[in-house]
């Protein structure tokens, strides 16, 4: 990484942001699944989306801040009314575009995706039956399978999977890897379910009763630990090759997280610098330092630069201690960019 960029990263830890390697955009607010661990779909009656015109005034900030990676999250981005012009505007910056998708609309949009995006990250919640049960959409796995096949049929294209492990699928762990192989995915990663924040269209954090529908109980935590240890032994080759994105130590953090939710131990310590190297822009224009922390402003009212470097945003970053902050301690989706390792 160039020395000037390293200096920007170091300087931003104490003040203004001058470098923003990663931007997460939510082009569309609705979703076409009804997953048991997510509430985004409950707001489908209130369609919101970012347009190319909304994005245009802020492209110069992306350019000046040397943004290199844009992640299209959601909701389901493929439900956007004109996603390809949206992507085209981003492409003028030379950024890498990753599309997060449920997989239901991949087949119908395969050629446009290949032309407009650099990779797709699909949700994989289990082997066929369990995936469909969690997604609560008929033939969800079958549509995902057909979509990945359509993307791969056009030639080499990176498609990876992401799996949220919770009480409905933790026991299916090995089958999830086998499903990822059968789907011809290039990699699979795992994370725990967020059961404590107000993210993902929750007006307020879940009640203990609602969280208990997703989080594991004490008996299930013990079983999960055993399942994980067996998994690590059986899939050592996939861990070594990187087909499984996480290391063995990171995988062991998943049952430890659910044990911490039960109050049986401390939460595994997170390493994250997301608020200093990235930003999230939601479908209504709301800007956050990450998915879980409070909003900093809205791009319909102020420039992205002004929002990220407002007195409130600078104070937030200066005062944030990831090791002790209650939101950060429970976070399931951390980001850490090592400035010395490059991007």
């Amino acid at each position: 990484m160039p020395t000037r960029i390293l200096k920007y990263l170091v300087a931003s830890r104490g003040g203004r942001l001058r470098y923003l390697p990663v931007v997460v955009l939510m082009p569309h607010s609705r979703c076409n699944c009804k997953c048991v661990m997510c509430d985004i779909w409950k707001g489908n009656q209130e369609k919101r989306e970012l347009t190319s015109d909304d994005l245009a005034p802020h492209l110069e900030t992306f350019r000046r801040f040397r943004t290199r990676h844009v992640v299209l999250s959601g909701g389901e981005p493929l439900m956007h009314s004109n996603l390809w012009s949206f992507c085209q505007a981003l492409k003028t910056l030379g950024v890498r575009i990753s599309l997060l998708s449920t997989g239901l609309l991949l087949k119908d949009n395969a050629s446009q995706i290949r032309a407009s995006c650099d990779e797709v990250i699909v949700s994989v919640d289990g082997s066929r039956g369990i995936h469909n049960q969690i997604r609560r959409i008929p033939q969800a796995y079958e549509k995902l399978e057909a979509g990945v096949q359509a993307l791969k049929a056009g030639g080499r294209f990176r498609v990876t999977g992401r799996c949220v492990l919770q009480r409905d699928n933790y026991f299916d762990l090995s089958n999830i890897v086998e499903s990822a192989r059968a789907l011809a995915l290039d990699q699979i990663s795992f994370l725990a379910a967020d059961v404590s924040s107000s993210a993902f269209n929750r007006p307020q954090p879940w009640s203990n009763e609602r969280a208990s529908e997703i989080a594991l109980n004490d008996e299930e935590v013990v079983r999960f630990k055993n399942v994980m240890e067996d998994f690590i032994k059986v899939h050592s080759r996939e861990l070594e090759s990187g087909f499984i994105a996480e290391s063995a130590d990171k995988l062991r953090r998943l049952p430890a997280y659910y044990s911490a939710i039960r109050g049986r131990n401390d939460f595994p310590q997170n390493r994250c610098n997301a608020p200093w190297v990235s930003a999230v822009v939601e479908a209504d224009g709301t800007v956050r330092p990450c998915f879980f922390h409070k909003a900093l402003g809205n791009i319909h009212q102020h420039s992205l630069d002004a929002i990220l470097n407002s007195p409130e945003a600078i104070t937030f970053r200066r005062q944030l201690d990831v090791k002790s902050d209650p939101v950060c301690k429970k976070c399931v989706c951390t980001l850490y960019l090592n400035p010395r390792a490059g991007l």
Side-chain angles (χ1 to χ4, degrees):
M1 176 177 290
T3 301
R4 66 181 184 281
I5 295 178
L6 177 58
K7 288 180 178 178
Y8 286 158
L9 282 174
V10 172
S12 68
R13 297 289 298 194
R16 295 179 60 83
L17 287 185
R18 297 181 178 87
Y19 183 55
L20 194 69
V22 180
V23 175
V24 179
L25 298 177
M26 298 181 178
H28 193 83
S29 65
R30 293 191 297 158
C31 189
N32 51 11
C33 283
K34 299 180 179 179
C35 301
V36 298
M37 65 285 187
C38 179
D39 289 341
I40 290 177
W41 59 274
K42 293 182 179 180
N44 279 358
Q45 70 279 4
E46 298 178 7
K47 174 185 174 181
R48 299 180 300 274
E49 67 176 32
L50 293 172
T51 68
S52 299
D53 288 342
D54 294 332
L55 189 63
H58 307 284
L59 293 178
E60 179 56 30
T61 297
F62 287 17
R63 185 176 289 108
R64 286 191 294 105
F65 280 32
R66 296 176 174 83
T67 299
R68 292 292 175 260
H69 189 187
V70 172
V71 180
L72 302 180
S73 185
E76 170 55 65
L78 291 174
M79 296 176 74
H80 191 276
S81 60
N82 196 355
L83 186 64
W84 314 124
S85 66
F86 194 85
C87 291
Q88 189 58 42
L90 292 169
K91 281 293 188 181
T92 63
L93 303 174
V95 300
R96 177 177 180 81
I97 299 178
S98 297
L99 171 70
L100 273 59
S101 177
T102 63
L104 302 186
L105 298 175
L106 292 179
K107 182 178 180 180
D108 291 341
N109 293 279
S111 60
Q112 295 97 325
I113 292 170
R114 289 182 56 90
S116 303
C117 303
D118 296 285
E119 69 171 345
V120 169
I121 304 170
V122 297
S123 299
V124 182
D125 291 309
S127 49
R128 190 179 304 268
I130 292 176
H131 179 87
N132 289 343
Q133 174 187 329
I134 291 173
R135 293 271 133 183
R136 296 193 288 195
I137 294 293
Q139 303 293 303
Y141 188 94
E142 289 77 5
K143 292 176 181 177
L144 167 63
E145 186 175 38
V148 175
Q149 289 176 354
L151 285 174
K152 294 287 188 177
R156 186 178 180 85
F157 188 79
R158 181 172 173 81
V159 184
T160 64
R162 183 179 61 177
C163 180
V164 177
L165 292 173
Q166 35 94 6
R167 74 180 313 176
D168 288 338
N169 65 356
Y170 74 93
F171 50 83
D172 201 40
L173 194 49
S174 283
N175 290 333
I176 295 170
V177 171
E178 295 308 314
S179 295
R181 288 286 193 197
L183 289 167
L185 300 183
D186 294 286
Q187 190 180 56
I188 182 74
S189 65
F190 298 95
L191 69 159
D194 170 46
V195 298
S196 62
S197 82
S198 58
F200 312 116
N201 195 42
R202 299 170 190 164
Q204 57 187 10
W206 280 346
S207 65
N208 290 336
E209 181 180 3
R210 176 69 177 94
S212 68
E213 297 174 8
I214 304 301
L216 280 61
N217 61 34
D218 287 339
E219 183 178 338
E220 290 165 334
V221 167
V222 172
R223 183 184 177 191
F224 190 15
K225 289 179 180 178
N226 293 331
V227 166
M228 185 60 75
E229 290 305 320
D230 290 341
F231 176 81
I232 289 170
K233 292 177 183 177
V234 170
H235 294 281
S236 59
R237 182 173 299 178
E238 287 92 343
L239 285 164
E240 291 173 3
S241 69
F243 181 72
I244 297 173
E246 290 75 24
S247 66
D249 287 342
K250 285 187 176 181
L251 290 174
R252 291 187 176 103
R253 291 164 59 92
L254 300 178
Y257 163 82
Y258 284 114
S259 182
I261 289 289
R262 302 286 300 170
R264 305 307 184 218
N265 51 254
D266 293 334
F267 284 93
Q269 185 172 305
N270 282 326
R271 189 184 191 195
C272 181
N273 59 1
W276 294 274
V277 299
S278 68
V280 175
V281 183
E282 298 178 353
D284 65 355
T286 297
V287 178
R288 299 181 187 274
C290 70
F291 287 106
F292 306 102
H293 279 287
K294 293 181 179 180
L296 300 174
N298 191 293
I299 62 169
H300 297 308
Q301 300 169 355
H302 303 284
S303 71
L304 184 59
D305 187 349
I307 293 169
L308 295 176
N309 285 314
S310 69
E312 293 79 10
I314 291 173
T315 297
F316 166 77
R317 289 190 295 271
R318 284 177 172 169
Q319 295 181 348
L320 181 62
D321 182 355
V322 172
K323 293 181 180 179
S324 61
D325 182 84
V327 173
C328 294
K329 287 174 68 174
K330 295 181 180 181
C331 184
V332 300
C333 187
T334 60
L335 169 69
Y336 182 79
L337 296 184
N338 185 344
R340 299 184 187 282
L343 298 176

